[in-house]
Amino acid sequence: EVQLVETGGVVVQPGGSLRLSCAASGFAFDDYTMHWVRHTPGKGLEWVSLISWDGNRRNYADSVKGRFTISRDNTRNSLYLQMNSLTTEDSALYYCVKDTPFDDWGQGTLVTVSS
Amino acid sequence: IVLTQSPGTLSLSPGERATLSCRASQSVPSNYLAWYQQKPGQPPRLLIYAARHRATGIPDRFSGGGSKTDFTLTITRLEPEDFAVYYCQQYDTSPPYPFGGGTKVEIK
């Protein structure tokens, strides 16, 4: 059974940084592209970033480009999202997602950017 | 590509047929259009991929159709567990992978 468990979401001040993690199990992690997707009640679902199976391809939504960095450690079956220069617009529930289309999702980790 | 879903809310009774629309601002390459269902407190669940193919374990009352810029998700007979928010998404070979704004199917 595929399991994706996100951690790292907290309350952080505007301008701050945060690192999200996703622990994957139940599948061959190093075979799959992985994504981060976020959800807010007002804006709905927004794709944030992807990383190819080998880490050589990384793409970002325009809204986070230059501030967020996606990475992975295939030896630890883990996905990461380094988030810098956070704004209130980044407040959301962040999901770790397997493959394209998005066929398996974690439960999400909540990021709140507030002073 | 911008995806526009309509209606914003659909009020129906169990047993009725639901038809949801997703319109793309330009043609979706290879019909790489997916539909997801999301219930409160849960992550989205993939229902349909490549416009018309049901994902694993999805009941056959869910069907996808359409091509190029106009796509539909049909639920032939609404079950109580089908009342949720539905999103369409384009997932071409290159990102970004935009979602539509969602359609809420609520109990009338």
Side-chain angles (χ1 to χ4, degrees), chain A residues 35 37 39 44-47 50 57 59 95 100-103 105-107, chain B residues 34 36 38 41-44 46 49 87 89 91 93-97 99:
Chain A
H35 303 262
V37 175
H39 181 246
L45 294 168
E46 180 186 14
W47 171 81
L50 77 80
R57 178 189 174 205
N59 295 96
Y95 292 106
T100 313
F102 301 172
D103 62 357
W105 299 62
Q107 290 297 313
Chain B
Y36 300 86
Q38 188 173 30
Q42 296 184 19
L46 177 66
Y49 65 95
Y87 295 94
Q89 182 206 25
Y91 63 96
T93 51
S94 298
Y97 301 129
F99 290 88

Side-chain angles (χ1 to χ4, degrees), chain A residues 31-52:
Chain A
D31 278 351
Y32 289 93
T33 292
M34 298 294 294
H35 303 262
W36 288 99
V37 175
R38 65 188 181 185
H39 181 246
T40 59
K43 289 198 245 177
L45 294 168
E46 180 186 14
W47 171 81
V48 173
S49 182
L50 77 80
I51 186 166
S52 59

Side-chain angles (χ1 to χ4, degrees), chain A residues 17-90:
Chain A
S17 296
L18 202 54
R19 189 196 198 204
L20 305 184
S21 299
C22 171
S25 61
F27 65 103
F29 180 73
D30 53 6
D31 278 351
Y32 289 93
T33 292
M34 298 294 294
H35 303 262
W36 288 99
V37 175
R38 65 188 181 185
H39 181 246
T40 59
K43 289 198 245 177
L45 294 168
E46 180 186 14
W47 171 81
V48 173
S49 182
L50 77 80
I51 186 166
S52 59
W53 65 274
D54 59 0
N56 286 339
R57 178 189 174 205
R58 309 180 194 208
N59 295 96
Y60 301 93
D62 286 345
S63 57
V64 308
K65 202 172 292 184
R67 300 187 298 120
F68 290 11
T69 302
I70 192 171
S71 61
R72 66 190 297 160
D73 184 343
N74 287 345
T75 66
R76 295 177 183 268
N77 288 351
S78 292
L79 177 71
Y80 306 101
L81 186 67
Q82 178 66 42
M83 309 163 66
N84 298 332
S85 303
L86 286 161
T87 74
T88 55
E89 297 294 303
D90 298 315

Side-chain angles (χ1 to χ4, degrees), chain A residues 2-29:
Chain A
V2 171
Q3 284 206 320
L4 299 166
V5 180
E6 304 94 336
T7 56
V10 291
V11 179
V12 61
Q13 292 191 335
S17 296
L18 202 54
R19 189 196 198 204
L20 305 184
S21 299
C22 171
S25 61
F27 65 103
F29 180 73

Side-chain angles (χ1 to χ4, degrees), chain B residues 17-71:
Chain B
R17 180 187 188 94
T19 303
L20 288 64
S21 171
C22 177
R23 179 160 289 177
S25 58
Q26 53 187 282
S27 185
V28 176
S30 303
N31 290 331
Y32 281 160
L33 192 287
W35 289 93
Y36 300 86
Q37 176 195 67
Q38 188 173 30
K39 298 179 183 178
Q42 296 184 19
R45 174 174 71 146
L46 177 66
L47 298 175
I48 302 287
Y49 65 95
R52 62 184 184 89
H53 297 276
R54 273 188 299 277
T56 303
I58 302 304
D60 61 7
R61 64 180 181 273
F62 291 91
S63 63
S67 63
K68 299 194 179 191
T69 61
D70 288 287
F71 299 88

